[in-house]
Amino acid sequence: MKKNGFTVILVEPKYGGNIGSVARVMKNFGFRELYLVNPCSFDDECYQRAMHAVDVLEDAKIYSSFEEATKNMDLLVATSAISTYSEKNYLRNPIYLPEFSEKIYEIQGKIGLVFGREDYGLYNEEIKKCDLLLKIPTSDEYPSMNLSHAVAIVLYHLYVQKFTPIKPRIIDRVEKEYLYRFFSDLLDLIDYPEHKKDKTKTMFTRVMSRAMPSKWEYHTLMGVLAKTLEKLKDK
């Protein structure tokens, strides 16, 4: 995954445990730059929650004001659980996370992801200074999330947009035919009812097609079937 231009900015976090948890999820998803505005002290819980992301904590930059922390950002993205569906309330009219994560990589430069206080979130004055308001879709019954959980969900969505999974080698048609032949031989050896064979073979074919077994899984399964057939033939 290519290095991104994102900075996580926590505004006046009150609990060391949350800061440590944020550092951990940042490292989980490949994000390194953490800015803290008037944070609480890094207590034991902070370091315990960070686990192997202590380096993210130690590299974090601490600022005394919102303006100082955000002055070098090309795009500021505020996050909030409070939004509105009214087109007239521009301040609280959000972009939702799925759409945001798809479009944000079209923008070049330093992008600040701003997360507010655990109790009050971001003040209106701070949201006004941001370019976008981002919202995670949540239940209207209880939309407010824990700080570190919200950061984790946002970073996960950003990460998967650029993540390229390592795909296993899938078995080819010749290997499938060998597998189906072994299964057919097994049905014959166990005296499987003749009138059920065709349907059972079709079912096995469909199951294997949906499973899309890898080369390694295929060889393991073939080994089991071969041993089973060998034992049955020896009886």
Side-chain angles (χ1 to χ4, degrees), residues 14-53:
K14 297 179 179 297
Y15 305 107
N18 274 336
I19 298 174
S21 295
V22 167
R24 180 173 180 173
V25 298
M26 285 178 65
K27 194 164 185 178
N28 286 151
F29 298 118
F31 296 83
R32 299 287 311 180
E33 198 159 75
L34 175 62
Y35 287 7
L36 303 170
V37 179
N38 291 326
C40 61
S41 60
F42 290 5
D43 55 12
D44 289 342
E45 187 178 6
C46 179
Y47 287 99
Q48 289 168 2
R49 294 282 183 90
M51 295 293 286
H52 299 295

Side-chain angles (χ1 to χ4, degrees), residues 10-200:
L10 305 185
V11 178
E12 298 184 351
K14 297 179 179 297
Y15 305 107
N18 274 336
I19 298 174
S21 295
V22 167
R24 180 173 180 173
V25 298
M26 285 178 65
K27 194 164 185 178
N28 286 151
F29 298 118
F31 296 83
R32 299 287 311 180
E33 198 159 75
L34 175 62
Y35 287 7
L36 303 170
V37 179
N38 291 326
C40 61
S41 60
F42 290 5
D43 55 12
D44 289 342
E45 187 178 6
C46 179
Y47 287 99
Q48 289 168 2
R49 294 282 183 90
M51 295 293 286
H52 299 295
V54 171
D55 54 324
V56 176
L57 283 180
E58 293 176 344
D59 291 341
K61 294 180 174 63
I62 297 177
Y63 297 93
S64 59
S65 69
F66 181 89
E67 290 74 20
E68 186 185 3
T70 59
K71 65 182 180 182
N72 292 322
M73 296 295 149
D74 297 301
L75 184 78
L76 275 179
V77 183
T79 58
S80 178
I82 302 172
S83 62
T84 179
Y85 296 104
S86 171
E87 294 181 358
K88 296 180 181 179
N89 189 347
Y90 296 108
L91 183 63
R92 293 282 178 176
N93 202 339
I95 181 172
Y96 286 89
L97 181 55
E99 181 185 1
F100 171 79
S101 60
E102 289 178 2
K103 293 181 176 180
I104 193 61
Y105 283 102
E106 298 172 7
I107 297 173
Q108 300 295 317
K110 287 179 69 70
I111 300 167
L113 303 171
V114 187
F115 296 85
R117 304 156 187 83
E118 289 94 334
D119 47 4
Y120 294 111
L122 293 171
Y123 299 145
N124 283 342
E125 293 74 17
E126 293 162 342
I127 292 176
K128 283 180 183 177
K129 294 172 182 176
C130 295
D131 302 286
L132 292 172
L133 178 66
L134 175 64
K135 181 173 173 58
I136 300 170
T138 52
S139 169
D140 290 337
E141 185 178 353
Y142 190 27
S144 182
M145 297 186 67
N146 171 274
L147 172 60
S148 63
H149 295 176
V151 175
I153 291 173
V154 171
L155 298 188
Y156 165 77
H157 273 261
L158 293 173
Y159 181 79
V160 296
Q161 288 296 322
K162 292 293 184 180
F163 177 67
T164 304
I166 299 173
K167 296 181 180 179
R169 294 178 301 144
I170 304 301
I171 61 174
D172 57 31
R173 177 160 295 280
V174 173
E175 289 165 325
K176 285 180 184 178
E177 289 175 357
Y178 273 118
L179 178 59
Y180 300 154
R181 190 184 310 161
F182 267 57
F183 183 72
S184 179
D185 291 345
L186 178 61
L187 295 181
D188 291 338
L189 280 173
I190 63 174
D191 295 325
Y192 195 77
E194 196 67 35
H195 68 283
K196 292 184 178 180
K197 279 185 179 179
D198 282 344
K199 285 187 177 180
T200 303

